[in-house]
Amino acid sequence: MTATGTPETSAEATDAAAGTHEETGTGLRICPLCEATCGLTVTLENGHITGARGDRDDVFSHGFVCPKGASFGELDSDPDRLTRPLVRDGSGELRETGWDEAFAAVAAGLGPVLAGGEADAVAVYLGNPNVHTMAGALYPPQLLGVLRTRNLYTASTLDQMPKHVSCGLLYGDPQAIPVPDVDRTDHLLILGANPVESNGSLATVPDFPGRLKQLRRRGGRLTVVDPRRTRTAKLADRHVPIRPGSDALLLMAMVQVLFDEGLTDTGELGPHLSGVDEVRELAREFTPEAVEDACDVPADDIRALARELAAAPSAAVYGRVGSSTVEFGTLTNWLVDVLSALTGNLDRPGGSMFPLSATARPPRPAGTPGKGFALGRWHSRVASHPEAKSELPVVALAEEITTPGEGRVRALITLAGNPVLSAPDGEGLEKALAELDFMVSLDPYLNETTRHADVVLPPARPSRTAHFDFAFNALPVRNQVRYTRAVVQPGKDELGEAEIMARLLLCLAGKADAPAAAVDDAVISRALGRAVADQHSPVHGEDPESLAQQLTGRDGVERRLDMMLRLGPYGDGFGADPEGLSLDKLLAHPHGIDLGPLRPRLPELLRTRSGTVELCPEPVRADVPRLRAALQRRTSGEALVLVGRRHLRSNNSWMHNVPALRGGTNRCTLQIHPEDAARLGLADGADARVTGDGGEVTAPVEVTDAVRTGVVSLPHGWGHDRPGTRMRVAADDPGVNVNQLLDGTLLDPLSGTAVLNGFPVRVAPAAPAASAAAAATAAVPDAG
Ligand SMILES: Nc1nc2c(c(=O)[nH]1)N[C@H]1C(S)=C(S)[C@@H](COP(=O)(O)OP(=O)(O)OC[C@H]3O[C@@H](n4cnc5c(=O)[nH]c(N)nc54)[C@H](O)[C@@H]3O)O[C@H]1N2
Ligand SMILES: Nc1nc2c(c(=O)[nH]1)N[C@H]1C(S)=C(S)[C@@H](COP(=O)(O)OP(=O)(O)OC[C@H]3O[C@@H](n4cnc5c(=O)[nH]c(N)nc54)[C@H](O)[C@@H]3O)O[C@H]1N2
Ligand code: SF4
Ligand SMILES: [Mo]
């Protein structure tokens, strides 16, 4: 079989039958391993990826590749990847079976729970890789539509939910997220992000490090606010080693300075802004002098940060995980955009801009009233956490399973997630998972979470799956569109993620025997029905069935993509604009199509009720007293708080099984400043015992002045020492689970996002085994 089927592909057809895997040659694959979405050129021999390099002709990534992308082949062919479904048998063992048996087991397991008629009895957990697969974008909405459960949990409440909430409140649309215009800005202020290791997030920027260097080269300024001197901070003109968790105070003080010194200039945005005076009032008391102790940043520096931002010809403010998974996550994310708006940098070139994806719904005419964004439309059953974006906080999942009563979660579906390691108190969650009547996981690995499932459904490996970035094309620094087909056809026994999700959905709908394609047909028919009824659509008044017949594509996924492209803002409108986009056109451009630099999109994208950017939304204003209380905080010299860190050669919890990506500096060590280490008697390389409210872990110490005093750092995604998993390489050097230090009670109340950065811990030397035994004996005098 040929690889991508594109002109650039030199794969030879050695055998026409699918599943023989004799493909040899090269192919193109968009990398799914982080948010940068680089184009890869892969080489293959006999159906196996033997190499991956950056695709120099890719219109967006221009040949950039990082060590993870270069290891695409190793990851793809990891021998620990599950190739067949697993079903728990009568003796409690997970055993390989065929697909029909596996789906029958799902129907049998979920049937009784669903038959109870309690919609909320089935919970769904969606993990991070759903934004890295086509299926993860296309099927979960339908699946949730069938289930109608309020028990939806996703990795967003361990990550970016504060941004969704603040954007929902500001712009009326939680998906309207502005990204820093990195290529054109004169000044970039980064808070709590380390794109040199992470390659960027909520900003799709292939070669983020190169573009930061380019910014410096053209005379732009880079400021990085981070308690650690990260690789990103090392590139900066100015590094502000803030006390963790206090960014909202710092930004509030910058807002205060802008008003106080008459530095606000909202520019062309002015007429579309409301609430400016209210923000001025809110910020009044947060002077640089008032916040400097709590932030541990001198008042003069805070004034300088504000003045530089206001003086720059263009400037962008960008915050990520370290500004989000914190106590004041929503306030911080709100303030990021408030600063952009007040300095006239929101929605203008060189500032923070809203991308326009090829599969976005076409823009509404200006003046169309919006519905606004509501929070807390319902609450979790046990702790009464408000929903945000139809999700409940992940930290509530365990108690919703273990607390008896009507509406208790009795079954769980996990799609591409590992909350046992990624969420607070994994041990508590594991105990809860054991109480479920039924659990099914869609995942290529048997890991800390999926080992609890009754059925594990492994998707075909990435080389055998087509790729289009529905999520990240909405967040790029430059509008573009790219699509790559499967480089290798899946074997007879392999099922793509799309088909698995479609069949899962049919099981839930009680139609296990229907063909998977029925799901896509139904979606297409509904969407086209809506489009022809919409007077602003290019297909208004046409016949939906004849439109459906015009769709091209090999399968349901491609037909849906074709439909979305053709109805999208650059689409051909089914002939209305013959030059416009369609799947066929995209396939004729295997390295993608550049759609130009970001363009201003306000006020047309606003969905607030007022039709303005609502700069001072009520829920945010109501959270400010909590921030005011934090003004009084002073930390004693002894207190330590913990922050996380990411390593370039890793990704959350699931890439520790690839030998090429392990070792070296990619280790699970406790970083601590030399002064703190000396005070606590901790030597480099010795073991430290770290204790938090949720538990205790022991990790090797790494003494380094890259972390500031009062702060220690442990990476997340480690702790691969549990029995019953099948990740042999990861288990060799398991590391410890930092999230076991948390008990799940700390969260940002507006967004339900767990506090994973800046929480208190105690650190002490771990007693060596022998002396620990001696100490225990000494404490029990009668023991002998
Ligand atoms: N302490 C601390 N905790 C954190 C963070 C932190 O910074 N500090 N970061 C948080 C963040 S930002 C996030 S996004 C979450 C992530 O939280 P999760 O999404 O729960 O965790 P991941 O480790 O990304 O797990 C991904 C799962 O998907 C599987 N997988 C990989 N590829 C595919 C695929 O193509 N299809 C399917 N079906 N499955 C696949 C993997 O085997 C793994 O089981 O973790 C959060 N946890
Ligand atoms: N190599 C690699 N790349 C990844 C991932 C990965 O695990 N590894 N994960 C992917 C995912 S799911 C995501 S969401 C993105 C995340 O992308 P980033 O947000 O860029 O990644 P982090 O390294 O978590 O950066 C957070 C930074 O915040 C700092 N920090 C902690 N607390 C505070 C605070 O209170 N204030 C401030 N100002 N800073 C603070 C930390 O020291 C850290 O440097 O990366 C993605 N890309
Ligand atoms: S930067 Fe991200 S998308 Fe690019 S090659 Fe590396 S992992 Fe893949
Ligand atoms: Mo994330």
Side-chain angles (χ1 to χ4, degrees):
M1 299 292 293
T2 53
T4 58
T6 61
E8 266 61 12
T9 297
S10 54
E12 292 159 21
T14 48
D15 192 310
T20 51
H21 297 144
E22 292 178 10
E23 297 94 328
T24 294
T26 64
L28 299 173
R29 179 42 157 109
I30 298 166
C31 180
L33 304 180
C34 89
E35 299 186 29
T37 73
C38 303
L40 302 178
T41 302
V42 298
T43 47
L44 48 149
E45 270 169 41
N46 302 325
H48 285 279
I49 308 292
T50 52
R53 58 178 198 274
D55 170 17
R56 272 192 298 273
D57 298 321
D58 185 285
V59 295
F60 190 41
S61 61
H62 308 292
F64 181 77
V65 68
C66 83
K68 283 200 297 294
S71 304
F72 178 81
E74 283 91 328
L75 193 79
D76 194 67
S77 56
D78 183 346
D80 281 346
R81 196 177 263 277
L82 302 175
T83 53
R84 304 186 64 211
L86 304 178
V87 173
R88 203 171 289 283
D89 67 14
S91 68
E93 292 295 309
L94 280 170
R95 170 179 69 72
E96 281 195 359
T97 120
W99 287 100
D100 289 341
E101 291 90 326
F103 284 110
V106 173
L110 286 174
V113 183
L114 291 165
E118 274 181 47
D120 296 337
V122 182
V124 177
Y125 177 85
L126 300 174
N128 169 271
N130 284 297
V131 288
H132 293 282
T133 64
M134 294 182 81
L138 294 178
Y139 297 91
Q142 270 81 50
L143 202 130
L144 292 162
V146 170
L147 276 177
R148 304 202 159 275
T149 176
R150 287 186 170 179
N151 279 303
L152 170 62
Y153 303 84
T154 86
S156 296
T157 54
L158 305 169
D159 185 353
Q160 83 287 0
M161 189 59 92
K163 191 84 224 169
H164 289 304
V165 169
S166 70
C167 290
L169 295 169
L170 284 162
Y171 315 117
D173 177 357
Q175 305 291 2
I177 295 174
V179 304
D181 189 3
V182 179
D183 293 339
R184 291 184 289 184
T185 194
D186 298 295
H187 183 106
L188 181 57
L189 169 59
I190 297 183
L191 303 115
N194 185 12
V196 173
E197 305 270 7
S198 70
N199 289 311
S201 178
L202 293 188
T204 302
V205 189
D207 194 15
F208 210 132
R211 294 183 203 231
L212 291 180
K213 288 177 197 150
Q214 195 58 45
L215 160 74
R216 297 286 315 275
R217 250 180 257 129
R218 65 174 182 266
R221 265 185 86 82
L222 175 64
T223 300
V224 174
V225 180
D226 198 307
R228 298 186 305 120
R229 196 175 63 253
T230 60
R231 287 175 66 195
T232 307
K234 284 182 188 155
L235 291 180
D237 300 270
R238 184 200 284 268
H239 170 218
V240 181
I242 194 169
R243 180 169 287 145
S246 65
D247 297 58
L249 291 171
L250 176 89
L251 297 181
M252 204 56 140
M254 288 174 66
V255 169
Q256 193 276 341
V257 173
L258 292 180
F259 281 118
D260 190 49
E261 301 189 2
L263 300 176
T264 61
D265 176 6
T266 54
E268 289 177 25
L269 195 62
H272 307 295
L273 280 180
S274 60
V276 177
D277 291 339
E278 287 86 341
V279 173
R280 178 204 303 266
E281 279 312 306
L282 274 186
R284 198 178 287 280
E285 67 192 289
F286 294 88
T287 61
E289 284 71 20
V291 308
E292 64 177 344
D293 284 349
C295 298
D296 202 11
V297 179
D300 286 348
D301 290 5
I302 300 175
R303 287 214 161 75
L305 289 174
R307 289 171 189 158
E308 285 165 12
L309 191 71
S314 68
V317 188
Y318 169 65
R320 223 25 295 282
V321 161
S323 67
S324 197
T325 55
V326 289
E327 199 181 349
F328 301 105
T330 302
L331 285 178
T332 309
N333 278 275
W334 164 71
L335 284 160
V336 162
D337 286 11
V338 166
L339 280 170
S340 295
L342 292 178
T343 53
N345 284 302
L346 183 65
D347 197 42
R348 80 155 181 212
S352 294
M353 304 195 74
F354 299 93
L356 182 60
S357 146
T359 54
R361 293 216 194 105
R364 309 255 88 186
T368 316
K371 291 201 184 107
F373 174 73
L375 278 169
R377 292 164 298 167
W378 58 85
H379 291 77
S380 69
R381 180 179 63 102
V382 179
S384 204
H385 294 294
E387 64 76 39
K389 226 172 137 264
S390 304
E391 296 181 25
L392 295 172
V394 173
V395 294
L397 176 56
E399 69 198 15
E400 291 295 333
I401 297 171
T402 56
T403 310
E406 199 178 321
R408 180 178 88 86
V409 169
R410 292 188 285 129
L412 175 66
I413 302 173
T414 73
L415 304 178
N418 191 7
V420 166
L421 290 190
S422 53
D425 189 17
E427 285 172 17
L429 182 57
E430 288 204 278
K431 286 199 191 102
L433 298 182
E435 289 185 27
L436 290 167
D437 293 356
F438 185 75
M439 172 171 165
V440 51
S441 295
L442 202 177
D443 205 289
Y445 285 109
L446 192 59
N447 64 18
E448 298 75 16
T449 296
T450 60
R451 74 188 180 110
H452 293 279
D454 300 292
V455 179
V456 184
L457 306 169
R461 52 184 77 178
S463 62
R464 297 171 189 186
T465 314
H467 195 78
F468 183 91
D469 280 295
F470 288 104
F472 301 118
N473 283 353
L475 297 161
V477 281
R478 197 178 161 91
N479 290 317
Q480 46 75 39
V481 59
R482 293 163 299 149
Y483 174 60
T484 50
R485 280 181 161 164
V487 208
V488 181
Q489 293 312 305
K492 278 194 277 297
D493 293 335
E494 286 175 302
L495 235 52
E497 188 131 14
E499 189 171 346
I500 299 175
M501 285 199 192
R503 288 185 66 178
L504 192 56
L505 191 153
L506 291 167
C507 283
L508 295 170
K511 299 177 190 160
D513 296 332
V519 174
D520 300 310
D521 290 341
V523 170
I524 288 169
S525 151
R526 259 200 317 276
L528 289 175
R530 268 198 311 271
V532 298
D534 176 355
Q535 55 168 330
H536 301 295
S537 166
V539 296
H540 178 62
E542 294 191 35
D543 170 32
E545 267 174 42
S546 78
L547 294 177
Q549 273 159 21
Q550 292 172 45
L551 293 174
T552 66
R554 290 172 170 173
D555 53 25
V557 168
E558 284 201 343
R559 283 158 51 78
R560 288 174 71 176
L561 176 59
D562 189 34
M563 176 184 70
M564 292 165 83
L565 291 169
R566 298 176 81 170
L567 292 177
Y570 311 88
D572 77 352
F574 287 82
D577 174 8
E579 299 299 304
L581 271 183
S582 64
L583 177 64
D584 279 345
K585 179 158 179 183
L586 198 47
L587 287 170
H589 294 82
H591 306 284
I593 299 174
D594 178 47
L595 298 170
L598 305 184
R599 284 184 294 270
R601 292 194 56 210
L602 292 178
E604 139 243 308
L605 69 61
L606 295 175
R607 293 289 172 274
T608 49
R609 284 176 189 272
S610 64
T612 63
V613 176
E614 296 179 359
L615 215 54
C616 193
E618 189 46 42
V620 163
R621 185 214 300 265
D623 201 27
V624 170
R626 206 169 55 91
L627 186 64
R628 188 177 298 130
L631 277 174
Q632 310 312 326
R633 280 195 203 153
R634 303 288 178 272
T635 40
S636 76
E638 316 260 291
L640 289 173
V641 294
L642 189 142
V643 301
R645 67 176 190 272
R646 284 175 157 77
H647 193 283
L648 181 59
R649 284 183 294 122
S650 185
N651 194 344
N652 296 340
S653 75
W654 66 278
M655 274 183 213
H656 297 135
N657 211 51
V658 179
L661 295 175
R662 286 166 47 99
T665 52
N666 184 13
R667 291 184 56 227
C668 185
T669 57
L670 182 81
Q671 293 187 341
I672 186 165
H673 189 274
E675 282 173 26
D676 288 324
R679 179 170 55 82
L680 295 166
L682 291 167
D684 192 71
D687 277 346
R689 196 173 69 239
V690 190
T691 313
D693 291 344
E696 196 172 282
V697 299
T698 299
V701 170
E702 181 183 344
V703 178
T704 166
D705 65 3
V707 286
R708 50 158 290 161
T709 53
V711 175
V712 291
S713 170
L714 257 183
H716 72 287
W718 296 82
H720 307 293
D721 52 1
R722 291 167 173 71
T725 61
R726 197 177 301 166
M727 297 184 77
R728 287 166 292 191
V729 180
D732 268 356
D733 182 9
V736 294
N737 177 13
V738 64
N739 287 325
Q740 200 51 52
L741 299 171
L742 289 158
D743 64 6
T745 54
L746 294 176
L747 44 70
D748 168 44
L750 280 179
S751 67
T753 303
V755 175
L756 305 171
N757 275 291
F759 59 88
V761 291
R762 295 182 297 286
V763 178
S771 59
T777 314
V780 191
D782 292 336

